Amino acid sequence: LHCPGVGAALMPSIFSYQSAEVDWCESNFVRSAVIAEYYNTISNVSFFLLSPALLYLNRQYCQKKAVPLYFVSGLLILVGLFSMYFHMTLSYVGQLLDELSILWTLAVAYSFWYPQAYFPKCIKTRRHFFWLTGITTVISTLMSFVKPTLNAYALNCIAFHLLYLTWKELKKCNDKRVHRMAAVMVMWWALAITSWISDRWLCWLWQAINFPYFHSFWHVLIALSLLYCCPLVIYFDVSYEMPSFKPKLEYWPSDSWPVVVPYVTLEEPHKQC
Ligand SMILES: CCCCCCCC/C=C\CCCCCCCC(=O)N[C@@H](CO)[C@H](O)/C=C/CCCCCCCCCCCCC
Ligand SMILES: [Ca+2]
Ligand SMILES: [Zn+2]
């Protein structure tokens, strides 16, 4: 506040084009003079399709428990917007907004949906868990400014924790449809992370064959894996926290179609008179 000159000198640099620490494999400003990475930018449309699809298909769950799904869907739209801004400008601010929006979306999803059975021993209620997640996320947010290049690697590690949780839950679950859905989710995620890593580490190869588009595949594939991950999380949330309902996995448009989107319906077990 006392040195307006310092602020003014700093502002243009962190917002300016190509001020980020990372630059993805796709060549910059090839298809447009204002969009640095054209395909990496437009492939974020997947997140704008994902959120309404989750809200529409899982509307029965949404009617009973609206806040978690509305919150997470809204944040996923924000992830898409910030990621678009990042790939359009490759700016330092863009990179941090992209990474921090993912961190906060994961934090909100964990706070609402993390099964109580896995809470640390010292945490007794979801309210306490909210505080734990909140404090951890604020600290991680501050730490993310130290070395932004590492943030994406740290965020990707969270997927391994989700895989571990899924495996623990599947051991207790006999529903074949749930096992099938988890298998498809893992397949999309494996393809996604392979694309992300190969764009980061094998860029020389993709540029040599003139096909540097693996990061845009990552955007589409990670959105697809979330399309499977969210109903799975909802399924376990209903079985744990809404005992008066029985969750059922359905596929849109129908089971027999070759390409399907999963969602959860709630069945009320027959009440006896
Ligand atoms: C009980 C917990 C429930 C968890 C529900 C899941 C909520 C998911 C929330 C957010 C994930 C959004 C990830 C989209 C990233 C898009 C932006 C992007 O591509 N950014 C890159 C730069 O452009 C950046 O380098 C990427 C960083 C890595 C992000 C890793 C996110 C981990 C997501 C975990 C998804 C799980 C899917 C299935 C797991 C087996
Ligand atoms: Ca690039
Ligand atoms: Zn990206």
Side-chain angles (χ1 to χ4, degrees):
L1 274 174
H2 300 293
C3 315
V6 174
L10 214 66
M11 291 298 267
S13 67
I14 55 173
F15 285 98
S16 59
Y17 272 80
Q18 291 180 293
S19 54
E21 276 185 355
V22 283
D23 187 338
W24 300 88
C25 195
E26 183 183 345
S27 309
N28 303 341
F29 304 108
V30 169
R31 287 204 56 127
S32 159
V34 281
I35 302 176
E37 296 176 334
Y38 184 81
Y39 291 106
N40 285 350
T41 303
I42 59 164
S43 52
N44 283 296
V45 165
S46 331
F47 296 101
F48 305 143
L49 301 176
L50 169 70
S51 293
L54 286 174
L55 285 173
Y56 174 72
L57 291 172
N58 300 288
R59 56 191 178 279
Q60 239 187 320
Y61 171 81
C62 232
Q63 278 163 6
K64 307 283 174 217
K65 217 174 164 180
V67 180
L69 202 55
Y70 271 114
F71 237 107
V72 171
S73 308
L75 283 165
L76 283 171
I77 300 254
L78 213 60
V79 166
L81 280 173
F82 286 150
S83 182
M84 270 187 143
Y85 172 67
F86 170 43
H87 289 291
M88 186 181 150
T89 60
L90 291 175
S91 65
Y92 177 83
V93 169
Q95 182 185 345
L96 277 168
L97 286 175
D98 173 293
E99 290 164 350
L100 290 178
S101 61
I102 301 169
L103 173 70
W104 281 89
T105 309
L106 281 164
V108 167
Y110 264 64
S111 317
F112 283 126
W113 286 323
Y114 194 70
Q116 293 224 13
Y118 303 116
F119 281 2
K121 282 210 175 63
C122 54
I123 301 293
K124 298 280 178 265
T125 61
R126 190 158 293 275
R127 202 186 160 81
H128 287 158
F129 188 71
F130 260 106
W131 277 103
L132 177 71
T133 329
I135 293 167
T136 315
T137 313
V138 169
I139 296 172
S140 312
T141 302
L142 297 175
M143 280 169 54
S144 64
F145 291 87
V146 178
K147 190 85 190 104
T149 331
L150 296 183
N151 297 347
Y153 288 93
L155 287 168
N156 268 317
C157 289
I158 298 175
F160 289 96
H161 183 244
L162 281 172
L163 282 178
Y164 168 75
L165 281 180
T166 309
W167 171 72
K168 293 267 274 188
E169 283 304 314
L170 289 183
K171 280 205 298 187
K172 295 186 264 175
C173 172
N174 298 321
D175 190 336
K176 280 212 173 68
R177 292 167 79 89
V178 178
H179 282 253
R180 185 180 139 197
M181 190 167 82
V184 180
M185 172 191 82
V186 174
M187 178 199 77
W188 287 127
W189 172 79
L191 289 172
I193 193 71
T194 310
S195 305
W196 190 89
I197 291 175
S198 58
D199 190 276
R200 273 291 48 184
W201 297 352
L202 301 175
C203 183
W204 55 272
L205 176 63
W206 309 131
Q207 281 190 335
I209 60 167
N210 211 11
F211 196 78
Y213 304 117
F214 281 91
H215 190 77
S216 54
F217 291 163
W218 147 266
H219 288 153
V220 177
L221 291 165
I222 198 71
L224 276 172
S225 70
L226 288 171
L227 199 57
Y228 282 73
C229 177
C230 289
L232 198 62
V233 171
I234 291 174
Y235 181 94
F236 290 124
D237 185 55
V238 175
S239 10
Y240 276 124
E241 306 225 353
M242 299 165 74
S244 50
F245 295 99
K246 193 176 176 307
K248 192 166 178 251
L249 276 186
E250 310 263 12
Y251 286 102
W252 180 89
S254 94
D255 274 23
S256 52
W257 280 53
V259 181
V260 287
V261 182
Y263 65 98
V264 177
T265 56
L266 309 184
E267 281 182 348
E268 254 175 296
H270 264 319
K271 288 195 182 100
Q272 291 194 339
C273 312

